[in-house]
Amino acid sequence: MANIKSQKKRIITAEKARMRNKAVRSELKTAVKDVRAAVTAKDADAAQAAANKANRLLDKAASKGIIHKNQASNRKSGVQKLVNSLK
C-alpha cells in the first residue's frame, strides 16, 4: 500500500476508472453480440438497428479513450460487413 497521500488517491481514482471502463467494454461486446444474433436470425432491419447502436457506442468509447479510435473503426467495419451480408 502506498504511503503518499496523492498516490493513495490515484489508486482509488484508477480503480473507479477501471470499473467504469470495464462496464463500457462489456456494453460494447453485448451490442456487437446483438448484431450477430440479428444477422443469424436473418432479420435485416433489426441487424441494421443493432449496428447503428453498436456504432454509436463504439464511437463514444473511442472518444472517451476507452478503446483506440482505430479499434473502434475496425469493429464498426466488421459489424457493418455482417449487416451487409444480409442484403
Side-chain angles (χ1 to χ4, degrees):
M1 184 66 192
N3 293 326
I4 299 164
K5 188 175 183 182
S6 62
Q7 188 57 38
K8 288 179 182 177
K9 183 178 178 183
R10 288 302 305 157
I11 289 168
I12 292 167
T13 306
E15 181 63 15
K16 283 181 187 174
R18 187 184 74 83
M19 295 306 290
R20 186 171 46 246
N21 292 345
K22 185 177 171 185
V24 171
R25 281 195 212 100
S26 174
E27 190 179 16
L28 291 176
K29 289 177 188 174
T30 304
V32 172
K33 197 188 304 179
D34 290 343
V35 174
R36 289 200 182 107
V39 169
T40 304
K42 302 216 184 295
D43 188 352
D45 293 333
Q48 186 59 57
N52 291 343
K53 181 181 178 203
N55 288 343
R56 186 171 179 277
L57 290 172
L58 287 163
D59 283 336
K60 204 176 227 185
S63 71
K64 304 270 185 196
I66 296 168
I67 62 172
H68 194 274
K69 64 185 179 89
N70 292 355
Q71 173 72 284
S73 182
N74 286 338
R75 290 194 198 181
K76 284 169 58 177
S77 172
V79 162
Q80 198 56 52
K81 268 186 182 173
L82 282 174
V83 174
N84 290 344
S85 70
L86 291 176
K87 295 177 182 175

